[in-house]
Amino acid sequence: MKIDFKRLQEIGAFVGAPVEKTIKWTLTREDGTTEDFEGVVYIRRNSCATFERDIKAHMAGQEAAATKISTNVCDENGNPILTYEQALDLAEPLTAALLAAIIEVNAPKNSNPPTSSGTNSSSQASAGEQSQKRNET
């Protein structure tokens, strides 16, 4: 495929609108009581810009989790809602829920879901070919 701007647009290679995600977390209070929360957040897909921010933050000695949260968690228009400093102060359960949402939105999707045995036919064929080659030598 010839790579050009128009073709990249057609295949969806540019980061679009933020993705709406519902997250859940539980906070434990100082008195030991817990409270469950649920909320809607918007997650920006990773792009060249988020990649650059991550690198700059790493070079500046900033914490990776707070950087990802302050870079990827946004409002419905893609504007950041937390600064790096605010993200550093988030409670761990909320931090974990936000990072899980970021990973879910940005993780590669498996284009060949496994069969019930956990392998697909092309993997089995490849394994058979490899076995034959080993036996021949």
Side-chain angles (χ1 to χ4, degrees), residues 41-57:
V41 295
Y42 293 88
I43 304 296
R44 179 180 295 124
R45 292 187 188 277
N46 287 333
S47 66
C48 186
T50 57
F51 183 70
E52 290 294 328
R53 286 186 205 122
D54 289 348
I55 291 172
K56 287 178 184 175

Side-chain angles (χ1 to χ4, degrees), residues 2-14:
K2 179 182 174 188
I3 305 241
D4 61 28
F5 182 76
K6 183 178 178 184
R7 180 67 181 137
L8 291 174
Q9 282 183 310
E10 289 170 357
I11 64 172
F14 292 93

Side-chain angles (χ1 to χ4, degrees), residues 33-45:
T33 60
T34 61
E35 187 173 354
D36 294 333
F37 293 91
E38 183 175 306
V40 172
V41 295
Y42 293 88
I43 304 296
R44 179 180 295 124
R45 292 187 188 277

Side-chain angles (χ1 to χ4, degrees), residues 5 21 25 27 38 45 47 55-56 84 86 89 91-93 96 99 111 114 120 122 131 137:
F5 182 76
K21 298 298 294 179
W25 71 101
L27 289 180
E38 183 175 306
R45 292 187 188 277
S47 66
I55 291 172
K56 287 178 184 175
Y84 171 79
Q86 291 168 329
D89 288 333
E92 186 176 359
L99 288 173
S111 59
N120 63 31
S122 63
S131 295
T137 58

Side-chain angles (χ1 to χ4, degrees), residues 9-137:
Q9 282 183 310
E10 289 170 357
I11 64 172
F14 292 93
V15 174
V19 177
E20 182 178 306
K21 298 298 294 179
T22 299
I23 61 169
K24 298 177 183 181
W25 71 101
T26 301
L27 289 180
T28 302
R29 307 263 182 229
E30 289 182 19
D31 64 2
T33 60
T34 61
E35 187 173 354
D36 294 333
F37 293 91
E38 183 175 306
V40 172
V41 295
Y42 293 88
I43 304 296
R44 179 180 295 124
R45 292 187 188 277
N46 287 333
S47 66
C48 186
T50 57
F51 183 70
E52 290 294 328
R53 286 186 205 122
D54 289 348
I55 291 172
K56 287 178 184 175
H58 176 73
M59 298 299 286
Q62 293 183 335
E63 301 296 327
T67 298
K68 286 308 290 177
I69 290 170
S70 63
T71 300
N72 290 79
V73 178
C74 57
D75 65 17
E76 59 274 3
N77 298 313
N79 301 310
I81 61 169
L82 294 168
T83 66
Y84 171 79
E85 290 76 19
Q86 291 168 329
L88 277 175
D89 288 333
L90 293 174
E92 186 176 359
L94 178 54
T95 298
L98 290 170
L99 288 173
I102 292 167
I103 290 167
E104 185 178 331
V105 166
N106 288 288
K109 306 299 182 252
N110 186 356
S111 59
N112 294 324
T115 62
S116 59
S117 66
T119 60
N120 63 31
S121 59
S122 63
S123 296
Q124 291 171 341
S126 296
E129 289 170 16
Q130 291 171 352
S131 295
Q132 282 181 335
K133 289 177 184 174
R134 284 190 208 127
N135 291 337
E136 290 173 4
T137 58

